[in-house]
Amino acid sequence: MKRYIFRQTAIIAFLFVFYSLSAQNQISGVVNYHENSSNPLPDITLELFDSGNNLVATTITNNIGEFDFYNIPAGDYVLVSSTSLPIGDINAVDAALVLDYLNGLVTFNDYEFEAADVNGSGNITHGDYQLMINKILGRGKPFPAGDWQFEEVNLTVSSSRNPIVMATVWATSTGDVEGVWLPGGRDGELIASDNQETTVVSEGEIELEIGSNYDNLIRGFNLNFIYPINQIEITDVSGPDENINFDIDSDNGILKVIWLDENKNPGNKFFGEKLFRIKVKQTTNSVINEIGGFSLLEGGMVLDSKSKEIENIEISLPRIITTSSSSIPNPALNMEVICYPNPVINNLNLKITSQNNCNANILIYDLNGRLVKEITNQNITKGTQLIGMETESLPIGHYLYKLNLGNRNIHG
């Protein structure tokens, strides 16, 4: 009887040791944007490394940001994340927050700090601020810190029976200090005002003014426009003070402007009625007596004195008329181009009526100035013709077309 009890005890002890050595565990969790549980992130790749820096397992978050690792042995681990998701919208609010941090007006938590440290130096400096300004203007290269930042999570998995270790990971798109992940940009709150007088542009330089219907104090703005390059050339932009930043894409007729009140007590000096001024002159070969103007592009905003985006604000856009032109012959002056449908579904149609025979390159650009589609050496005959371009392969967004006629361009 004693021998029987000993044998049973030995078997139980052996099974306990065997189970402890072979116990497998589960790690589960979620990846949230800026620790916001209402904004979980899909398509995040998570890699699990052991204490020897060996890759143990890999998984990807589902459409509600959840992930699971199964059959994980007991031990210490590090959870590392990455993604190929597009970056978030970076705008004047984010740049203003960096300024406030530099001026000692706000503090940042971990993910806000990582979002603001766009050069990856481990500190937030005016260099980070300038990189953000360049990015907002569309002339900045990718941030040195990379597109995304993730919390690196240390985990310990015990040898207890079937434990589930829970982990919550924060993520941020580099530069998005505000924490509003909008890869396509904001669906703006800006409205173009219709109450504009027409300004005559002749051979000399004149100034055009951009204003708004908001007559209270403002902290800043970033605004994007298309302007008529067949009529005017922009020579300078001036703002409320010397902190105005702008970028002129004269090939595609795009102007981007950003200004922020950089004073240590911002939002107490400038009003929204007069935002900035544009110095222009008439282009060579501009069309006689043609009325044109500026139009708004998406992604812009005006900030109130507390650095909050002002909703449904009207922006006054200059209208112009040219009064003279050069006598140099130009086929573009005798050509009419109609683009339809708008918005384009799968195909762009250009109805071209020309009084001359010529050749043209038809170019499609995105709003960052990248050439995304083209037809080269297209024969344009005298009369009316219809030219189609397939656009189904292009991502949803706003685009510009250009007809290059040698020394002249037609835009739309």
Side-chain angles (χ1 to χ4, degrees):
M1 187 67 177
K2 290 181 180 179
R3 182 179 298 174
Y4 175 76
I5 293 174
F6 174 78
R7 289 178 58 197
Q8 287 286 85
T9 304
I11 291 172
I12 292 172
F14 173 78
L15 289 174
F16 177 78
V17 172
F18 175 79
Y19 182 82
S20 298
L21 293 173
S22 61
Q24 301 294 295
N25 309 279
Q26 177 180 338
I27 299 174
S28 297
V30 64
V31 179
N32 290 324
Y33 197 70
H34 278 229
E35 284 191 346
N36 184 355
S37 60
S38 64
N39 197 2
L41 289 175
D43 299 322
I44 305 298
T45 299
L46 296 105
E47 296 177 311
L48 192 67
F49 292 86
D50 65 16
S51 56
N53 202 32
N54 300 303
L55 180 62
V56 175
T58 301
T59 190
I60 299 175
T61 57
N62 60 19
N63 61 354
I64 54 174
E66 296 175 344
F67 65 89
D68 297 288
F69 292 100
Y70 297 102
N71 301 320
I72 303 301
D76 295 323
Y77 297 93
V78 177
L79 196 57
V80 179
S81 307
S82 62
T83 188
S84 58
L85 288 172
I87 62 174
D89 179 46
I90 303 167
N91 52 56
V93 174
D94 301 300
L97 285 169
V98 172
L99 274 180
D100 288 343
Y101 177 89
L102 293 172
N103 289 330
L105 301 177
V106 299
T107 58
F108 287 158
N109 55 35
D110 289 347
Y111 44 85
E112 290 170 335
F113 188 96
E114 293 298 326
D117 182 21
V118 299
N119 64 11
S121 67
N123 296 295
I124 300 173
T125 68
H126 279 86
D128 296 294
Y129 171 71
Q130 193 57 53
L131 284 172
M132 294 180 70
I133 294 295
N134 289 335
K135 178 70 74 172
I136 293 168
L137 291 174
R139 65 189 182 203
K141 297 178 180 179
F143 288 136
D147 288 344
W148 284 84
Q149 306 299 323
F150 295 90
E151 180 181 14
E152 191 171 279
V153 179
N154 295 294
L155 301 168
T156 298
V157 177
S158 70
S159 58
S160 58
R161 182 174 180 176
N162 292 330
I164 299 178
V165 178
M166 302 301 297
T168 301
V169 182
W170 59 252
T172 180
S173 173
T174 307
D176 184 16
V177 187
E178 184 187 16
V180 182
W181 184 55
L182 295 170
R186 295 179 186 244
D187 190 10
E189 302 288 345
L190 302 176
I191 302 169
S193 174
D194 293 328
N195 301 319
Q196 292 302 304
E197 296 182 358
T198 301
T199 302
V200 176
V201 180
S202 55
E203 296 179 358
E205 285 187 329
I206 66 167
E207 278 196 336
L208 305 174
E209 186 172 87
I210 302 290
S212 77
N213 66 338
Y214 188 78
D215 58 2
N216 290 319
L217 290 164
I218 61 170
R219 168 71 188 280
F221 54 81
N222 67 272
L223 298 170
N224 309 315
F225 308 88
I226 295 176
Y227 68 93
I229 58 175
N230 62 319
Q231 293 180 276
I232 59 171
E233 173 188 345
I234 297 177
T235 60
D236 196 18
V237 176
S238 58
D241 61 21
E242 69 280 0
N243 296 317
I244 193 81
N245 289 273
F246 61 92
D247 186 80
I248 303 170
D249 181 351
S250 57
D251 290 331
N252 299 300
I254 299 176
L255 171 66
K256 296 184 177 182
V257 184
I258 180 171
W259 170 82
L260 288 169
D261 185 351
E262 297 185 14
N263 294 305
K264 290 192 175 182
N265 187 23
N268 291 292
K269 187 175 181 181
F270 302 103
F271 293 83
E273 292 175 299
K274 297 180 179 181
L275 299 176
F276 63 95
R277 296 170 301 282
I278 307 169
K279 186 175 289 187
V280 304
K281 65 180 182 180
Q282 188 176 2
T283 59
T284 304
N285 298 328
S286 59
V287 181
I288 303 174
N289 296 329
E290 178 176 341
I291 296 178
F294 286 64
S295 57
L296 286 168
L297 291 175
E298 64 183 13
M301 62 177 61
V302 180
L303 307 184
D304 66 17
S305 61
K306 303 299 183 183
S307 300
K308 302 298 183 183
E309 180 181 7
I310 303 169
E311 297 183 357
N312 300 319
I313 183 174
E314 289 188 9
I315 304 297
S316 58
L317 301 177
R319 288 192 300 184
I320 59 174
I321 183 169
T322 47
T323 60
S324 63
S325 69
S326 171
S327 60
I328 300 174
N330 196 307
L333 303 182
N334 298 310
M335 183 176 293
E336 178 186 22
V337 181
I338 299 174
C339 168
Y340 70 92
N342 192 4
V344 175
I345 306 300
N346 295 320
N347 291 280
L348 167 68
N349 297 308
L350 295 176
K351 182 180 179 182
I352 301 176
T353 301
S354 177
Q355 296 183 27
N356 306 285
N357 294 325
C358 61
N359 289 326
N361 296 325
I362 304 174
L363 312 171
I364 305 293
Y365 294 87
D366 65 18
L367 295 187
N368 290 318
R370 292 186 293 262
L371 178 65
V372 295
K373 206 168 188 65
E374 65 179 324
I375 297 176
T376 59
N377 203 28
Q378 174 70 42
N379 185 35
I380 306 295
T381 60
K382 183 178 180 179
T384 300
Q385 53 248 278
L386 185 66
I387 299 174
M389 294 185 72
E390 179 273 323
T391 58
E392 187 175 4
S393 60
L394 297 179
I396 295 174
H398 292 266
Y399 297 88
L400 302 171
Y401 74 82
K402 177 168 72 174
L403 264 67
N404 187 329
L405 302 172
N407 67 333
R408 255 321 256 186
N409 296 318
I410 295 178
H411 293 247

